């Protein structure tokens, strides 16, 4: 057995609900969340990473979930169609109502365009900086700022929060550079 | 400011986590991920190390030459999983295809569902694979696309080489339903994949370790592999032609055949001859080149045995008496019309004509003779009951019929023979639908080769064919998963 197989096993036996939860913030069904987690696991371990701990591997996969989501255009389209089919969902609460703490933030998040959603997730769930978010998603920093700004407008309005784009991120994962081992 | 939004998002994510706290990925799902990762890593490794691998191949040949041995035949395709392991001997193996190292076997065979108990493959077992072993891919319908590769030893012990998700590697969700050719200690096999309806097929090279299927551009369609020639080429037949391909599925030769619909062409057990049925006679060809070597006219056999009181014998070319001798079976007209017990005669047909026949009394009409160590196995068909009333007989060339299967036999499914061991499997109507029974002449015992409970859908066509070694070479016979003999 290779060194990465035990890591996958540990992740799916010990951290699976957490990974699913991250995915569930982005997609509308448990089944899609599972697909997303699987895609992220495959993408993560398809290159030698040299994770030094399970926590580090988990953190990487959680980010990969967002990246996989953003990169999967087909899934985005399908999900968007599904989203449109439930347009009467209470998620679409009128931002003009002001502070609405009863709104499901996950539903709000899923109502955002995919790239906006991915940027917000990485920025505020993963606490990545604008630069790191851009690097993670393969976008320019300017694009990330625009997407985050768009997302915050919706979220702040619906939730009554006052998050701003300028807040600095708090953490960064450190992963060994890719090798051939 | 932002902490408030983070807290809301974190809180919602934790709610999801709590709601899904009991969710676990099952073994099949985990294996699917592992196999997908392994495949991608391998592809990546191939692209990175391609140039180095070419150099290593040259070096390897040089080592063999220096040792004074015949260099090993190159595998059908580069096997990036092979690596020189601790278990690899520094001395070349005495086998025809020396190993370059044990591949990455599965550590835990698939269990549950329709998957049968199997032992994990080990480097030692892998190195010992030789005559009589069978390679098969098993993909039951309820396994969510998972397939297992088994090597089965001549006594029926199963070893799982690897398992993987079939659909991830074969286009269009096809299943590998026939493994046509494979060399011991190599990790690729020529295989056919088909859709469930068997209306679309692809031939390709199957990587037994990763499940990757590299489809052929030259051999297409739902043609059948009849077997392999002595030099390892595969003989593939569609309704109008035969194509001979090498281990990379490159076409070596192709020639038209005109078999009639009631008697398909068949390859001799030793892989040298092709029997082609034409109207009222048979034509024997060189299997590799397609050259016609001689013809067999069954009426010649009828002339030899002479008529009965009820009329002339009905003689047909059906099956093989030994590795390269077509069999001609003559049945009395009374047997055919009324099921009366009468003398049946069996001839061997060679380029010089018919050999001395042997005879026995029976009420059955025999077809599909297949050589086994102790004689010939033939399917006896009851004229009144047809295939439903068939019986499987062991026919001694001295005219004795020392063994017959008492249960109804649907179809003579397969005979695998190696040395003193032969295993014969057939559909048995005496047991549950889809179950198969096998017989080992050397031990004169019958065994279940498939446990009861297999549905037809699960059984066919995924596990019906495999490769088996006969003597020192690889040939192809339809085969099954054998139950372990106790």
């Amino acid at each position: 057995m290779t060194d990465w197989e035990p890591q996958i096993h540990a992740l799916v036996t010990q951290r699976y609900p957490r990974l699913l939860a991250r995915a569930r913030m982005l997609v509308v069904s448990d089944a899609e969340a599972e697909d997303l987690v699987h895609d992220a696991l495959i993408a993560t371990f398809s290159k030698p990473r040299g994770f030094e701990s399970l926590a580090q591997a988990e953190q990487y996969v959680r980010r990969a979930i967002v990246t996989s989501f953003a990169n999967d255009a087909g899934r985005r389209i399908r999900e968007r169609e599904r989203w449109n089919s439930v347009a009467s969902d209470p998620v679409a609460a009128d931002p003009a109502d002001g502070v609405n703490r009863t709104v499901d933030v996950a539903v709000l998040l899923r109502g955002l365009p995919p790239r906006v959603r991915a940027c917000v997730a990485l920025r505020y769930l993963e606490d990545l900086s604008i630069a790191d978010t851009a690097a993670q998603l393969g976008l320019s920093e300017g694009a990330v700022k625009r997407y985050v700004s768009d997302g915050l407008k919706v979220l702040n309005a619906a939730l009554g929060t006052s998050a701003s784009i300028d807040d600095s991120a708090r953490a960064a994962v450190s992963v060994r550079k890719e090798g051939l081992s | 400011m932002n902490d408030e939004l983070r807290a809301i998002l974190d809180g919602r994510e934790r709610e999801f986590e709590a709601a899904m706290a009991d969710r676990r990925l099952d073994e099949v799902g985990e294996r699917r991920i592992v196999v997908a990762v392994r495949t991608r890593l391998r592809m990546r490794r191939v692209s990175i190390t391609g140039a180095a691998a070419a150099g290593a191949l040259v070096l390897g040949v040089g080592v063999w030459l220096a040792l004074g041995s015949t260099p090993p035949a190159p595998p059908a395709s580069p096997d990036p999983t092979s690596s020189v392991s601790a278990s690899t001997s520094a001395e070349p193996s005495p086998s025809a295809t020396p190993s370059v190292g044990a591949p990455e076997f599965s550590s835990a065979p698939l269990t549950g569902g329709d998957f049968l108990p199997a032992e994990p493959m080990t480097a030692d077992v892998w190195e010992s694979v030789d005559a009589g072993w069978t390679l098969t891919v098993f993909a039951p319908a309820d396994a969510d696309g998972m397939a297992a590769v088994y090597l089965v030893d001549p006594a029926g012990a199963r070893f799982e080489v690897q398992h993987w998700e079939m659909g991830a590697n074969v286009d269009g969700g096809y299943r590998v339903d026939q493994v046509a050719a494979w060399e011991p200690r190599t990790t690729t096999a020529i295989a056919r994949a088909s859709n469930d309806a068997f209306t679309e097929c692809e031939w390709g090279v199957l990587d037994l370790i990763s499940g990757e299927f590299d489809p052929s551009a030259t051999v297409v369609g739902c043609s059948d592999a009849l077997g392999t020639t002595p030099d390892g080429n595969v003989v593939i037949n569609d309704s109008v032609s035969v194509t001979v391909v090498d281990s990379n599925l490159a076409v070596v030769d192709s020639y038209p055949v005109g078999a009639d619909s009631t008697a398909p062409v068949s390859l001799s057990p030793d892989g040298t001859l092709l029997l082609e049925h034409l109207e009222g006679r048979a034509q024997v060809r060189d299997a590799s080149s397609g050259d016609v070597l001689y013809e067999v006219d069954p009426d010649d056999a009828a002339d030899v045995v002479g008529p009965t009181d009820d009329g002339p014998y009905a003689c047909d070319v059906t099956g093989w008496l030994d590795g390269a001798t077509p069999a001609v079976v003559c049945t009395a007209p009374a047997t055919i019309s009324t099921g009366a017990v009468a003398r049946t005669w069996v001839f061997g047909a060679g380029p010089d004509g018919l050999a001395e026949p042997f005879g026995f009394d029976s009420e059955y009409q025999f077809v599909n003779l297949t050589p086994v160590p102790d004689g010939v196995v033939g399917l006896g068909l009851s004229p009144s009951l047809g295939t439903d009333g068939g019986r499987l007989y062991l026919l001694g060339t001295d005219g004795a019929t020392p063994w017959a299967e008492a249960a109804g036999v649907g179809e003579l499914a397969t005979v695998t023979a190696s040395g003193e061991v032969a295993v014969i499997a057939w559909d048995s109507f005496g047991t549950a639908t889809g179950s198969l029974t096998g017989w080992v002449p050397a031990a004169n015992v019958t065994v279940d080769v498939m446990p009861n409970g297999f549905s037809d859908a699960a059984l066919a066509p995924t596990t019906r064919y495999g490769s088996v070694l006969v003597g020192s070479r690889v040939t192809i016979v339809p085969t099954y998963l054998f139950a372990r003999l106790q």
Side-chain angles (χ1 to χ4, degrees):
Chain A
M1 184 178 287
T2 58
D3 56 346
W4 51 266
E5 286 187 57
Q7 293 175 339
I8 289 180
H9 182 71
L11 284 169
V12 300
T13 53
Q14 300 174 36
R15 308 296 169 92
Y16 198 53
R18 283 196 213 178
L19 300 177
L20 284 176
R22 169 55 51 86
R24 197 61 180 77
M25 292 291 285
L26 300 166
V27 297
V28 300
S29 72
D30 289 353
E32 285 174 303
E34 284 198 286
D35 286 346
L36 192 51
V37 170
H38 297 179
D39 289 347
L41 283 166
I42 292 168
T44 297
F45 288 95
S46 292
K47 291 181 181 177
R49 304 288 182 190
F51 295 124
E52 295 172 342
S53 67
L54 182 60
Q56 190 183 44
E58 180 197 351
Q59 188 176 30
Y60 197 99
V61 174
R62 283 157 63 91
R63 293 179 183 179
I65 288 170
V66 181
T67 308
S68 294
F69 166 77
N71 290 341
D72 190 340
R75 193 197 310 274
R76 276 205 315 274
I77 293 169
R78 289 193 300 275
E79 190 198 17
R80 173 57 61 187
E81 290 170 347
R82 185 173 303 186
W83 178 255
N84 290 340
S85 72
V86 292
S88 59
D89 193 295
V91 193
D94 185 357
D97 289 346
V99 177
N100 184 352
R101 300 286 183 178
T102 64
V103 166
D104 185 342
V105 69
V107 178
L108 270 180
L109 191 61
R110 295 194 302 261
L112 300 174
R115 282 190 175 178
V116 174
R117 207 180 319 174
C119 288
V120 170
L122 288 174
R123 185 90 172 90
Y124 296 98
L125 278 169
E126 276 300 315
D127 292 337
L128 292 189
S129 67
I130 293 290
D132 287 342
T133 299
Q136 184 83 21
L137 295 176
L139 301 172
S140 68
E141 292 188 29
V144 170
K145 286 180 180 177
R146 188 169 65 252
Y147 289 140
V148 171
S149 176
D150 290 347
L152 288 181
K153 284 179 187 173
V154 174
L155 295 177
N156 284 335
L159 298 170
T161 53
S162 54
S164 73
I165 195 171
D166 297 325
D167 189 36
S168 60
R170 294 180 296 198
V173 67
S174 100
V175 178
R176 254 193 256 155
K177 284 193 174 177
E178 180 184 319
L180 296 180
S181 59
Chain B
M1 293 189 301
N2 288 352
D3 286 346
E4 189 178 16
L5 176 58
R6 287 195 179 98
I8 293 170
L9 289 166
D10 284 344
R12 186 65 183 98
E13 193 172 57
R14 289 180 191 282
E15 288 176 9
F16 275 128
E17 182 184 343
M20 295 188 284
D22 296 332
R23 300 283 285 274
R24 293 291 181 273
L25 185 61
D26 62 18
E27 184 189 4
V28 171
E30 183 179 341
R31 291 303 307 171
R32 188 179 304 160
I33 291 170
V34 168
V35 168
V37 169
R38 191 176 294 146
T39 302
R40 290 190 184 193
L41 285 172
R42 182 174 295 112
M43 293 173 66
R44 173 183 170 79
R45 208 170 293 138
V46 168
S47 65
I48 291 172
T49 61
L57 179 62
V58 173
L59 177 61
V61 172
V63 169
W64 280 92
L65 290 173
L67 290 169
S69 303
T70 304
S77 61
D79 174 17
T81 65
S82 295
S83 59
V84 179
S85 67
S87 63
T88 303
S89 169
E91 296 293 326
S93 163
S95 64
T97 52
S99 171
V100 293
E104 189 175 350
F105 306 122
S106 59
S107 56
L110 282 179
T111 58
D114 286 337
F115 287 100
L116 303 174
E119 298 178 34
M121 177 58 73
T122 65
D124 288 343
V125 173
W126 178 258
E127 290 295 324
S128 70
V129 172
D130 204 344
W133 286 71
T134 297
L135 178 75
T136 185
V137 177
F138 183 50
D142 67 349
D144 197 23
M146 293 302 291
V149 180
Y150 296 110
L151 274 166
V152 187
D153 77 10
R158 269 184 304 277
F159 297 88
E160 189 194 273
V161 178
Q162 191 52 270
H163 56 255
W164 22 259
E165 185 186 8
M166 185 87 71
N169 303 312
V170 180
D171 288 342
Y174 289 4
R175 293 165 180 265
V176 171
D177 73 304
Q178 184 175 18
V179 181
W182 146 86
E183 291 286 341
R185 293 169 291 281
T186 62
T187 56
T188 58
I190 294 180
R192 182 182 66 192
S194 68
N195 61 359
D196 287 341
F198 200 63
T199 54
E200 297 178 4
C201 306
E202 281 186 338
W203 280 95
V205 176
L206 175 68
D207 187 316
L208 304 176
I209 304 302
S210 69
E212 285 179 69
F213 184 79
D214 185 12
S216 165
T218 55
V219 182
V220 297
C222 293
S223 45
D224 289 314
L226 303 177
T228 53
T229 62
D231 50 9
N233 293 329
V234 184
V235 180
I236 295 177
N237 170 235
D238 58 28
S239 59
V240 295
S241 66
V242 161
T243 303
V244 182
V245 298
D246 66 14
S247 59
N248 290 312
L249 279 166
V251 175
V252 175
D253 209 336
S254 182
Y255 51 90
V257 291
D260 66 42
S261 58
T262 58
V265 296
S266 66
L267 188 68
S268 62
D270 72 356
T272 60
L273 302 178
L274 193 83
L275 188 62
E276 176 188 13
H277 297 270
L278 305 173
E279 289 184 7
R281 58 193 170 84
Q283 198 157 251
V284 180
R285 293 176 180 266
D286 180 297
S288 294
S289 67
D291 294 342
V292 176
L293 302 178
Y294 59 96
E295 288 193 355
V296 180
D297 187 343
D299 287 345
D300 292 345
D303 291 342
V304 171
V305 296
T308 71
D309 293 342
D310 300 312
Y313 271 89
C315 300
D316 290 304
V317 185
T318 178
W320 303 86
L321 273 191
D322 58 31
T325 304
V328 180
V329 177
C330 294
T331 309
T335 301
I336 296 173
S337 59
T338 65
V341 174
R343 199 71 170 164
T344 294
W345 294 98
V346 180
F347 295 79
D352 298 326
L354 299 173
E356 189 71 19
F358 66 90
F360 54 92
D361 293 333
S362 175
E363 71 272 38
Y364 291 94
Q365 183 175 12
F366 285 82
V367 297
N368 293 348
L369 302 192
T370 306
V372 295
D374 293 335
V376 184
V377 169
L379 178 61
L381 301 177
S382 165
S384 57
L385 299 175
T387 56
D388 288 355
R391 286 179 166 223
L392 196 66
Y393 279 85
L394 172 62
L395 310 173
T397 53
D398 58 356
T401 54
W403 177 87
E405 164 60 21
V409 173
E411 182 181 357
L412 177 58
T414 184
V415 176
T416 64
S418 172
E420 295 303 312
V421 177
V423 176
I424 303 160
W426 62 92
D427 289 311
S428 174
F429 292 96
T431 52
T433 301
S435 71
L436 297 167
T437 307
W439 171 60
V440 182
N444 197 17
V445 295
T446 57
V447 296
D448 286 334
V449 293
M450 284 290 195
N452 292 342
F454 273 72
S455 70
D456 285 343
L459 184 64
T462 53
T463 62
R464 291 210 167 216
Y465 295 88
S467 300
V468 65
L469 288 167
V470 175
S472 60
R473 69 181 190 82
V474 182
T475 189
I476 305 159
V477 291
T479 191
Y480 298 89
L481 296 175
F482 310 129
R484 176 189 285 279
L485 294 172
Q486 299 299 324

